[in-house]
Amino acid sequence: MRTIAVVNQKGGCGKTTVSINLASALAEMGKKVLLVDMDPQSHCAVGLAVPEEQIEQSIYDVLISKSRNEPIRLTEILWQISDKLELSPASIDLSAFEQQMAGFADRENCLKSVIDEVHGDYDYVIVDCPPAVGLLTFNALRAASDVIVPVETGYFALHGLSKQLETLSILCKRCRQEVDVRVLASMYDIRTKMAREILAELRNHFSDRMYGTIVNFNTKIKEAASFGQPINEYDPASKGQKDFEALAREVIGWEASQQQREIVNSLADQLESISTTADDLLKVTKPEREAPRAPAEMEEVDEEPVLAGTDEKLSDYYGVSLIQDAIVFVTLYPRAQDVQIAGDFNNWQPAENPMQRVGESGVWQTQMKLPRGLYRYRLVVDGQWQQDPYNEWTELNPYGDLNSVVEVK
Ligand SMILES: Nc1ncnc2c1ncn2[C@@H]1O[C@H](COP(=O)(O)OP(=O)(O)OP(=O)(O)O)[C@@H](O)[C@H]1O
Ligand SMILES: [Mg+2]
């Protein structure tokens, strides 16, 4: 059995789409597949037409039962999607997982022990992760034999990639684990020059750390999700379906070649090496930058994810910066209802500093005047605590999670 975690802290890069459609393609090839949704947004249920209001228990209940004395078995919460595919749904409760497990020593291994119990029942377990590196993603990494990092082929996606791999590397240094990490080019739009250049660079740099298969941008994939179907059911003749079929074949084939070569690498080592590669890559593809604008002007920003030009402009604004005499925090969460910030400066009370949504672009910002000093903080996105994905300066906190750090000089 292989457990494949689909990880990228950047939102909207195609994690759920890859998870659902790879799972479904593997099932169609006769493999027994379990899809585990670890994202409190529970998009796997939405994408597979599982009625959310009917989900009484989710993976949250199973995981949390590990810390209590009333075990709930994974089989009690599963939904059958097709002959060979089952879904372990998520629920919004998952956003409280990190806090709930704060005092529990083995909290990083909850998912691993749940999956170990069904070892032998499945050929593949696919784990869809939330767009944040916190305890949920770390549980997925600990359980994984393989990690797929879907990467949108836009400049800004590369920017995120480098930071994200560094973060994962820090997290994984603590545990030596045999796992295969590879990058997957997703939402590739061959019509844009930037996408073509970036794909060429990705291939050049990552070579065998990258899937040969590319998931193209295909509107049928989007449509399939809105109808609650995997692409192989919605439109078996589509280009999107061909891509996922090829990816499934590559995943199966890689297993065979892996066994022959008997490669054993630790997760931390691999992440470190591909993170360095991502940094080099970023230098190669770095576009000319415009003079910075004030954050208020961002209301005009275009939302379209595949437009490289937009990415270039936005990359200047995310994270923290000092503008005039205030610290400005800017981040991107297109689907969030509520983004708050908690840190040393407000006694870790997120309600005191809600971030403001900037137009319809999915950008959130807030600013505050702070005396000189070093401040640690985390973002609270729809109740889920996470590090600022656009601030590279992080620090491990006593709970084993990462705080973001900013200095006012
Ligand atoms: N190859 C593709 N072609 C067309 N649309 C795509 C493709 N991949 C993803 N999408 C669309 O892009 C959007 C974001 O994709 P998805 O939900 O899979 O990303 P995600 O990384 O799981 O997001 P989040 O971080 O919020 O969980 C969705 O509307 C999805 O239908
Ligand atoms: Mg998702």
Side-chain angles (χ1 to χ4, degrees), residues 10-17 39 41 43 131 187 215-218 221-222 225 335:
K10 182 175 185 302
C13 62
K15 294 179 288 296
T16 304
T17 305
D39 186 351
Q41 301 176 99
H43 286 157
M187 299 168 83
V215 178
N216 288 278
F217 188 88
N218 179 245
I221 292 179
K222 228 181 181 41
R335 291 197 183 129

Side-chain angles (χ1 to χ4, degrees), residues 92-122:
I92 191 70
D93 309 328
L94 270 180
S95 54
F97 181 66
E98 198 158 330
Q99 269 88 357
Q100 300 264 344
M101 299 301 274
F104 184 61
D106 210 23
R107 68 214 161 106
E108 291 161 3
N109 288 314
C110 294
L111 183 64
K112 182 172 166 39
S113 71
V114 167
I115 291 177
D116 282 350
E117 282 164 22
V118 293
H119 196 274
D121 295 349
Y122 300 96

Side-chain angles (χ1 to χ4, degrees), residues 32-103:
K32 191 91 201 311
V33 185
L34 170 66
L35 175 60
V36 179
D37 191 351
M38 285 291 275
D39 186 351
Q41 301 176 99
S42 55
H43 286 157
C44 286
V46 180
L48 289 168
V50 169
E52 274 183 282
E53 67 285 358
Q54 308 267 347
I55 299 173
E56 284 173 6
Q57 285 188 311
S58 76
I59 186 71
Y60 168 79
D61 299 283
V62 181
L63 294 174
I64 210 89
S65 76
K66 289 270 154 203
S67 67
R68 298 177 182 160
N69 240 354
E70 37 195 70
I72 297 174
R73 285 165 57 81
L74 184 65
T75 45
E76 294 176 43
I77 64 140
L78 297 182
W79 286 68
Q80 179 131 32
I81 303 299
S82 66
D83 260 7
K84 300 264 180 188
L85 174 59
E86 285 172 300
L87 170 70
S88 154
S91 62
I92 191 70
D93 309 328
L94 270 180
S95 54
F97 181 66
E98 198 158 330
Q99 269 88 357
Q100 300 264 344
M101 299 301 274

Side-chain angles (χ1 to χ4, degrees), residues 88-360:
S88 154
S91 62
I92 191 70
D93 309 328
L94 270 180
S95 54
F97 181 66
E98 198 158 330
Q99 269 88 357
Q100 300 264 344
M101 299 301 274
F104 184 61
D106 210 23
R107 68 214 161 106
E108 291 161 3
N109 288 314
C110 294
L111 183 64
K112 182 172 166 39
S113 71
V114 167
I115 291 177
D116 282 350
E117 282 164 22
V118 293
H119 196 274
D121 295 349
Y122 300 96
D123 298 307
Y124 291 93
V125 178
I126 313 281
V127 187
D128 183 19
C129 292
V133 179
L135 189 59
L136 292 170
T137 297
F138 202 39
N139 261 267
L141 290 171
R142 291 307 315 265
S145 56
D146 300 66
V147 175
I148 295 181
V149 185
V151 175
E152 256 181 272
T153 37
Y155 169 75
F156 186 60
L158 290 181
H159 200 76
L161 177 64
S162 168
K163 287 181 203 163
Q164 118 115 341
L165 295 171
E166 272 168 35
T167 311
L168 291 181
S169 167
I170 295 169
L171 282 173
C172 295
K173 272 215 166 102
R174 285 184 283 165
C175 50
R176 291 191 70 78
Q177 199 179 332
E178 291 168 27
V179 73
D180 185 67
V181 187
R182 281 193 292 158
V183 168
L184 169 69
S186 78
M187 299 168 83
Y188 174 62
D189 187 349
I190 195 166
R191 295 167 304 170
T192 69
K193 184 164 168 281
M194 178 65 117
R196 292 195 300 274
E197 281 173 6
I198 285 179
L199 180 65
E201 289 298 338
L202 279 171
R203 283 198 163 133
N204 197 7
H205 281 73
F206 289 107
S207 54
D208 66 341
R209 287 270 139 252
M210 186 172 170
Y211 282 90
T213 307
I214 295 156
V215 178
N216 288 278
F217 188 88
N218 179 245
T219 46
K220 294 284 180 192
I221 292 179
K222 228 181 181 41
E223 278 172 35
S226 65
F227 282 96
Q229 284 181 317
I231 187 70
N232 58 352
E233 269 177 36
Y234 179 74
D235 189 345
S238 63
K239 200 162 183 279
Q241 159 58 9
K242 301 250 166 345
D243 287 346
F244 282 107
E245 211 178 287
L247 181 62
R249 254 188 267 111
E250 192 175 351
V251 164
I252 295 169
W254 180 254
E255 181 172 21
S257 65
Q258 270 278 77
Q259 279 164 358
Q260 281 163 15
R261 290 198 277 159
E262 289 184 348
I263 293 176
V264 175
N265 275 330
S266 84
L267 180 57
D269 291 349
Q270 286 185 52
L271 285 169
E272 206 158 74
S273 84
I274 64 177
S275 158
T276 316
T277 310
D279 267 343
D280 294 346
L281 184 51
L282 204 58
K283 283 174 208 141
V284 177
T285 54
K286 208 165 198 153
E288 294 271 306
R289 295 210 175 174
E290 294 175 5
R293 294 173 301 171
E297 289 176 44
M298 286 190 303
E299 286 183 31
E300 288 160 26
V301 157
D302 188 339
E303 240 188 303
E304 179 58 49
V306 291
L307 290 182
T310 305
D311 290 345
E312 291 154 29
K313 288 173 205 145
L314 284 175
S315 62
D316 287 340
Y317 302 108
Y318 296 130
V320 271
S321 46
L322 185 68
I323 295 187
Q324 282 148 15
D325 58 346
I327 290 282
V328 180
F329 298 83
V330 184
T331 189
L332 179 73
Y333 287 100
R335 291 197 183 129
Q337 299 299 314
D338 189 30
V339 182
Q340 300 166 320
I341 188 162
D344 299 327
F345 40 74
N346 63 7
N347 253 340
W348 297 91
Q349 299 300 316
E352 289 186 15
N353 289 83
M355 294 183 81
Q356 284 86 45
R357 196 195 286 271
V358 180
E360 294 303 308

